[in-house]
Amino acid sequence: SRAALPCQGYSLNCKRLGGFPGSFGILTGWAFLGAFNCLVSLAVPTTVASVAHNMSPQAIARLAGVAILIFIVIIMAASGTYVIHPGHRGVEVTMGKVSEAFKPEGFGLKVPFITAVYPTSIRQQTAEDKAECYSADLQQIIMQLQVLFRIPEGSVVKLFQGYDGDLFASLISPRVQEALKEVTALQSAEQIVKNRDQIKTRALELTRQKVGPVLVVEDIVIDRVHKDFIGDPPQKGLVRKIVWVKIGREHHRELKR
């Protein structure tokens, strides 16, 4: 009867597994429990401390070396690559020396740590400006402008080496001011207001000649023209003389360039 107790107990397990009566069911139950215990022991992970305790010093050193090597590879990959976004060109500088060729858009490789790539936009830009000019009939003309310009990709490296700061303020705006003064000084205030498109076209041509190929001036948009009369009638001759002397000096400086 005592021997039947284990059989009865395991017969319950056998019934849950599909029900195998007799000694075959007992053997099957024992085999299943043994396999289950083995799977549980393999599925439960051991702790890091036990692994480190069981590892030899040589194995720990090799593991640390592999981790350091992986870290170095990640750092080298991050510092040895670059990406130039659309509408930009890159300027490569290696230990202070600028490469003569620009970098195109896309992914590229560079020497880690000693080479840097600086992106420069070649997209069209719009800058607001104001020009104060004088007409032939001694009226002050104030123009609100919008200048559309861009950097050609062939000038990216040259501008990076030779100019700093705002390119519009240093290269384009002074030339636009000179061009508008030259054009408006030959026409009356009324003609300037009526012939705004002609004034813009002529000023754009002069500006492009003065700026040269280093930058591309796409267009000059005259938003608003405001005029003020300068001086009383007895002072007209003096003001006219001052205006023409100023224009002559500007032409003289332009010829020296």
Side-chain angles (χ1 to χ4, degrees):
S1 61
R2 291 182 180 178
L5 291 176
C7 180
Q8 292 175 358
Y10 283 106
S11 65
L12 296 176
N13 295 330
C14 294
K15 288 179 181 179
R16 293 174 185 174
L17 295 172
F20 292 96
S23 60
F24 181 76
I26 295 172
L27 295 175
T28 306
W30 278 108
F32 174 77
L33 289 177
F36 179 76
N37 290 332
C38 293
L39 291 175
V40 170
S41 63
L42 292 175
V44 177
T46 55
T47 60
V48 177
S50 63
V51 172
H53 179 73
N54 296 327
M55 291 177 62
S56 63
Q58 293 80 5
I60 295 176
R62 286 196 296 269
L63 182 61
V66 171
I68 294 174
L69 181 61
I70 294 174
F71 178 75
I72 293 175
V73 170
I74 293 174
I75 296 298
M76 295 290 287
S79 62
T81 60
Y82 65 89
V83 175
I84 303 298
H85 296 286
H88 293 73
R89 297 294 182 269
V91 179
E92 184 182 61
V93 181
T94 303
M95 299 183 66
K97 183 178 180 181
V98 180
S99 175
E100 296 181 357
F102 63 86
K103 298 296 181 182
E105 300 173 356
F107 176 83
L109 301 175
K110 63 184 180 67
V111 181
F113 304 113
I114 64 173
T115 300
V117 178
Y118 299 93
T120 301
S121 175
I122 60 171
R123 296 173 176 172
Q124 180 174 291
Q125 305 178 48
T126 302
E128 296 183 355
D129 200 4
K130 183 176 72 172
E132 296 183 359
C133 313
Y134 297 95
S135 63
D137 55 351
L138 306 177
Q139 295 196 47
Q140 185 181 25
I141 306 297
I142 301 176
M143 298 183 181
Q144 299 292 336
L145 310 172
Q146 288 189 6
V147 183
L148 285 65
F149 70 98
R150 62 179 177 86
I151 300 175
E153 62 179 16
S155 301
V156 169
V157 177
K158 181 178 180 180
L159 292 173
F160 181 85
Q161 288 181 297
Y163 298 93
D164 190 17
D166 188 1
L167 294 177
F168 176 79
S170 59
L171 292 178
I172 298 179
S173 180
R175 274 68 176 181
V176 173
Q177 302 282 340
E178 292 177 4
L180 286 172
K181 289 176 181 179
E182 293 178 11
V183 176
T184 56
L186 303 177
Q187 301 189 37
S188 64
E190 184 178 358
Q191 291 174 336
I192 293 173
V193 174
K194 290 182 178 180
N195 304 325
R196 181 183 300 187
D197 292 338
Q198 298 179 5
I199 297 293
K200 183 202 77 169
T201 302
R202 180 56 182 163
L204 181 60
E205 294 176 358
L206 293 176
T207 301
R208 288 173 176 172
Q209 295 176 5
K210 296 175 184 294
V211 172
V214 67
L215 287 170
V216 177
V217 181
E218 298 289 354
D219 197 7
I220 298 176
V221 180
I222 302 177
D223 291 333
R224 186 174 59 183
V225 178
H226 178 69
K227 60 181 181 178
D228 291 326
F229 182 74
I230 300 177
D232 298 328
Q235 299 175 343
K236 286 185 178 181
L238 179 60
V239 174
R240 185 186 297 271
K241 183 177 180 181
I242 294 174
V243 171
W244 282 107
V245 169
K246 186 176 181 180
I247 295 173
R249 290 177 179 176
E250 292 175 355
H251 280 289
H252 184 66
R253 287 198 301 267
E254 188 66 25
L255 291 175
K256 286 185 176 181
R257 292 177 187 174

